Every structure is written in structure tokens, then in C-alpha cells.
Amino acid sequence: MSSLELFQFAAKQFAYISAPLIIFTAIMYSDRIIHELFAIVNKTRKSLPR
């Protein structure tokens, strides 16, 4: 029972530590994805004849 409680405590600590990191990386990654999408859109716009 104590080992289970220890595991639950460790899981809570890990969640508290990892949640901000996950959110931060998600924001950074989404920002990069948005930049990539904008670059692709700009390339396709330039390549398309008007």
C-alpha cells in the first residue's frame, strides 16, 4: 500500500513538473507549425499564376 502511495505521489509530482513543459513545448511547436504553414501558403501563392 505504501509503495502504491509513493507511486501516486511521484505521478503527481511528475504531472506538476511535466504539465508546464508539455504546454510550453506545444505552444512552441504550434508556433513553428504556423510559420511553416505560412511559408507553404506564400510559396504556393507565388507559384500560382494570377
Side-chain angles (χ1 to χ4, degrees), residues 10-26:
K12 277 183 186 177
Q13 293 297 112
F14 183 71
Y16 280 129
I17 292 162
S18 65
L21 284 172
I22 289 165
I23 290 163
F24 180 72
T25 50

Side-chain angles (χ1 to χ4, degrees), residues 8-48:
Q8 286 178 346
F9 176 74
K12 277 183 186 177
Q13 293 297 112
F14 183 71
Y16 280 129
I17 292 162
S18 65
L21 284 172
I22 289 165
I23 290 163
F24 180 72
T25 50
I27 289 164
M28 293 291 287
Y29 198 62
S30 66
D31 192 46
R32 188 175 175 184
I33 287 166
I34 288 163
H35 279 295
E36 290 287 324
L37 284 173
F38 270 118
I40 290 162
V41 166
N42 284 333
K43 280 181 186 175
T44 52
R45 274 185 187 168
K46 284 177 184 175
S47 66
L48 280 173

Side-chain angles (χ1 to χ4, degrees), residues 1-10:
M1 189 64 188
S2 66
S3 63
L4 183 65
E5 285 172 358
L6 187 70
F7 178 74
Q8 286 178 346
F9 176 74

